[in-house]
Amino acid sequence: MKKTEEGGLTERELRDKRIKQKKARYTKLFKDVAANKKEFVLSMISQLAYIEVAMEDLQAETNQNGYVEKFEQGRQSFVREHPAAKSYNSFVKSYTTIIKSLIDIVPEAKQLDELQQFLNKKKS
């Protein structure tokens, strides 16, 4: 595997490190979740972290190569959606579903407390 300039890590090791960091951040956010939902939440967090890193990588690729590409098949030439853009769009749908599921798990009282804190900051 090709080493990156960042600490001599391979691209895969660097990606795994990014995923681990995101998982740790989300796990901290959901630390107070009920015990009977903990396993489900941890599974969702793992998926969310992976998808988030993949989306960042795909976004970088589309920023570099564009959202469309020229595609030739025989004598015909087409412009089509770049495969990275297509994958990104699929991940966005999954990402949104996972985020909604996680938000629904957070106790309503906690959501209201955080909303109230946010509104109080706006008044100040």
Side-chain angles (χ1 to χ4, degrees):
M1 282 194 164
K2 185 174 129 185
K3 298 278 183 181
T4 64
E5 291 180 19
E6 195 168 323
L9 299 174
T10 64
E11 289 179 21
R12 181 179 180 150
E13 291 168 335
L14 187 55
R15 185 174 45 248
D16 288 347
K17 180 181 176 184
R18 290 168 51 213
I19 291 170
K20 186 176 180 179
Q21 289 170 336
K22 290 181 183 298
K23 282 172 66 172
R25 187 181 77 211
Y26 286 122
T27 300
K28 187 176 179 182
L29 286 173
F30 289 92
K31 70 181 187 291
D32 296 331
V33 116
N36 63 337
K37 296 178 182 177
K38 196 78 163 176
E39 187 176 333
F40 173 74
V41 167
L42 293 175
S43 174
M44 297 296 282
I45 287 171
S46 290
Q47 291 177 36
L48 183 66
Y50 172 82
I51 288 171
E52 200 170 300
V53 168
M55 286 173 58
E56 289 169 357
D57 294 345
L58 292 166
Q59 185 177 27
E61 188 172 335
T62 57
N63 285 342
Q64 183 177 0
N65 300 315
Y67 296 101
V68 295
E69 68 178 359
K70 191 173 182 180
F71 174 71
E72 294 183 22
Q73 187 172 13
R75 293 182 183 189
Q76 295 181 335
S77 179
F78 305 94
V79 175
R80 69 175 182 182
E81 183 178 30
H82 193 283
K86 194 171 189 173
S87 295
Y88 181 86
N89 289 333
S90 293
F91 277 128
V92 166
K93 292 174 188 173
S94 297
Y95 181 83
T96 303
T97 301
I98 293 170
I99 289 289
K100 182 175 178 352
S101 295
L102 287 171
I103 288 171
D104 289 346
I105 288 172
V106 175
E108 190 174 322
K110 185 173 181 180
Q111 289 179 18
L112 291 175
D113 286 345
E114 290 175 3
L115 177 61
Q116 190 61 49
Q117 288 174 5
F118 175 75
L119 292 174
N120 289 340
K121 285 181 186 177
K122 287 291 186 185
K123 288 180 184 178
S124 302

